[in-house]
Amino acid sequence: DVKVTQSSRYLVKRTGEKVFLECVQDMDHENMFWYRQDPGLGLRLIYFSYDVKMKEKGDIPEGYSVSREKKERFSLILESASTNQTSMYLCASSDSVNTEAFFGQGTRLTVV
Amino acid sequence: AQSVTQPDIHITVSEGASLELRCNYSYGATPYLFWYVQSPGQGLQLLLKYFSGDTLVQGIKGFEAEFKRSQSSFNLRKPSVHWSDAAEYFCAVAPANQAGTALIFGKGTTLSVSS
């Protein structure tokens, strides 16, 4: 069974902290994505990566960075967390033939 | 720019009644189209997808969707709703023939099921 695993389901961090959200996929997919989900706004793309060490900005990259050192792992980094980054974060992956994305369970981040 | 509109924010349907969730997209060519479902506190699960061919697509859990090019729509339907169908539903699009492109999502429709 295909699997995208996010390291934490719930996180509480303080304003100004550096936060790492980790995502691992076991499907050997080339493409990985980070979305942010907020009520009434749907899913918005933060960053995506189509290969190791490659990254592309999505629609809302400000305040975020990403790292992809290995094919299976894609990390989202909040350099200095702020309260407006309190949200649900969803990681996804897809291969280079199909466009269907497989999603992790999500990380609900609260910044206080 | 590509966009997806789900006109209904919240729908309530009686158990056993039929369901239709609307989705309209804006794109220069025929895109790939998807419907995902999200149960509370969970990630997104793919219900069905349209790439080409037959415009009526069958998915999991008894759902189907019909692609109508003339209306730029991809509405999701189910003939008889079960209480377990209560969830949030997202329509998504991606450019055709560009595998690996990020999906663009609508804002979602929350489905409540009454007994």
Side-chain angles (χ1 to χ4, degrees):
Chain A
D1 199 13
V2 297
K3 205 159 187 181
V4 178
T5 304
Q6 295 183 229
S7 55
S8 303
R9 291 294 302 274
Y10 301 94
L11 276 178
V12 180
K13 297 292 182 181
R14 295 195 178 279
T15 302
E17 274 193 79
K18 189 169 186 176
V19 181
F20 293 85
L21 303 184
E22 307 287 347
C23 175
V24 177
Q25 51 97 1
D26 65 0
M27 297 167 281
D28 202 34
H29 282 172
E30 290 80 9
N31 311 299
M32 297 189 74
F33 312 90
W34 275 106
Y35 288 90
R36 171 176 171 160
Q37 181 181 13
D38 299 288
L41 297 180
L43 278 73
R44 294 178 292 168
L45 183 66
I46 305 172
Y47 267 97
F48 67 99
S49 169
Y50 53 88
D51 200 352
V52 175
K53 296 190 185 292
M54 305 301 288
K55 61 184 179 184
E56 294 284 344
K57 293 181 180 179
D59 299 318
I60 52 165
E62 296 79 18
Y64 304 95
S65 62
V66 290
S67 172
R68 194 167 180 200
E69 296 296 319
K70 293 185 178 180
K71 189 176 185 180
E72 66 271 19
R73 186 180 297 271
F74 191 35
S75 303
L76 180 69
I77 304 158
L78 287 67
E79 296 290 341
S80 178
S82 64
T83 55
N84 62 14
Q85 293 179 309
T86 291
S87 186
M88 170 73 96
Y89 291 87
L90 292 164
C91 176
S93 70
S94 69
D95 65 28
S96 290
V97 175
N98 302 295
T99 309
E100 171 187 348
F102 294 86
F103 282 83
Q105 295 284 77
T107 296
R108 184 164 296 281
L109 172 68
T110 302
V111 182
V112 298
Chain B
Q2 303 161 48
S3 65
V4 178
T5 301
Q6 294 180 246
D8 304 304
I9 297 172
H10 191 187
I11 285 181
T12 299
V13 174
S14 298
E15 191 168 16
S18 64
L19 169 70
E20 183 170 31
L21 301 182
R22 296 182 291 165
C23 173
N24 294 96
Y25 66 89
S26 173
Y27 190 63
T30 300
Y32 292 160
L33 296 158
F34 306 82
W35 275 100
Y36 282 83
V37 61
Q38 184 182 35
S39 298
Q42 301 298 312
L44 275 68
Q45 181 184 21
L46 181 70
L47 284 175
L48 47 78
K49 59 189 176 186
Y50 173 79
F51 281 6
S52 64
D54 192 347
T55 56
L56 185 62
V57 180
Q58 301 298 320
I60 62 172
K61 305 185 180 186
F63 285 92
E64 66 178 26
E66 185 172 13
F67 168 59
K68 292 186 177 180
R69 184 192 309 272
S70 61
Q71 298 177 19
S72 297
S73 69
F74 189 55
N75 294 348
L76 182 71
R77 301 193 295 244
K78 187 170 185 178
S80 178
V81 168
H82 188 261
W83 64 266
S84 60
D85 293 324
E88 190 159 20
Y89 292 80
F90 292 95
C91 181
V93 302
N97 302 316
Q98 295 183 34
T101 305
L103 303 185
I104 297 170
F105 286 85
K107 294 183 178 181
T109 298
T110 300
L111 173 65
S112 297
V113 180
S114 61
S115 55

